[in-house]
Amino acid sequence: MEQYKQEFIEFMVESDVLKFGEFTLKSGRKSPFFMNAGAYVTGEQLRKLGQYYARAIHEHYGDDFDVLFGPAYKGIPLTVATTIAYAELYGKQIRYCSNRKEIKDHGDAGILLGSSIKDGDRVVIIEDVTTSGKSMEETVPIIRAQGDIKIIGLEVSLNRQERGKGDKTTALEEIRELYGFETNAIVTMEEVVAYLYNKPCNGKIVIDDTLKEAIDAYYKEYGV
């Protein structure tokens, strides 16, 4: 596993973004882990987060894109932090764009926030985590309505690797098949478990034998 992935896993735990225990997800599933990107709240955390995203996007998609699009609301700070990091790490000026939940009819009018998107633009979408892929039902039509746009791919921070709405493949695989663009994550849950199992992180064992059994049982029921 790449060094930046190992660092990112520890970063999620230390930032209290990736938690382990017992959680009820929006889908109703009872999960032994939960990720909340809204817990990245400091300037230093956002600086590091942007760098991890930039490294993963550069690895998966290179430099041949123009706009980074983050769906409102959590996607807004993700795009800003990552475009800054991309300029610092790779010297590439990527424009950032997000959508508004409500269309603005005065001043800087329209549904987009940040850069406009125009014919010929190549776009990478950025999100925190995708469980069901529902957010793409709103995001993809907004982007494609702006003109002759090519969506290069989607980058999330964590691939939960559980069944999507169709119950046959993961949500990221469903998005790839439905919309025809690549989908990737900084890390997968499989990588997280392999790295943290019986390993001290932030001064304690995060995934012990009991939690590992709970995670295995969860994936036996909801995994692909």
Side-chain angles (χ1 to χ4, degrees), residues 69-98:
F69 187 96
Y73 289 103
K74 288 182 180 178
I76 296 174
L78 295 182
T79 57
V80 173
T82 305
T83 51
I84 292 172
Y86 220 92
E88 292 176 341
L89 293 176
Y90 304 110
K92 174 78 173 181
Q93 300 302 316
I94 302 297
R95 299 169 1 239
Y96 91 90
C97 181
S98 296

Side-chain angles (χ1 to χ4, degrees), residues 108-181:
D108 182 21
I111 198 170
L112 299 184
L113 176 69
S115 172
S116 61
I117 307 177
K118 59 184 184 299
D119 285 352
D121 276 340
R122 297 162 64 84
V123 178
V124 171
I125 304 171
I126 184 173
E127 278 206 311
D128 54 350
V129 65
T130 298
T131 301
S132 67
K134 186 172 178 58
S135 64
M136 290 297 103
E137 295 177 6
E138 177 183 352
T139 300
V140 172
I142 288 174
I143 295 173
R144 289 179 171 167
Q146 307 308 310
D148 182 17
I149 313 298
K150 181 174 180 60
I151 299 177
I152 302 300
L154 166 68
E155 188 77 36
V156 301
S157 59
L158 175 67
N159 182 355
R160 289 183 60 100
Q161 295 181 294
E162 56 193 83
R163 295 197 305 269
K165 293 186 296 183
D167 280 342
K168 292 183 179 179
T169 60
T170 67
L172 286 183
E173 288 170 337
E174 286 181 347
I175 291 170
R176 183 187 301 121
E177 293 171 1
L178 181 60
Y179 298 108
F181 52 76

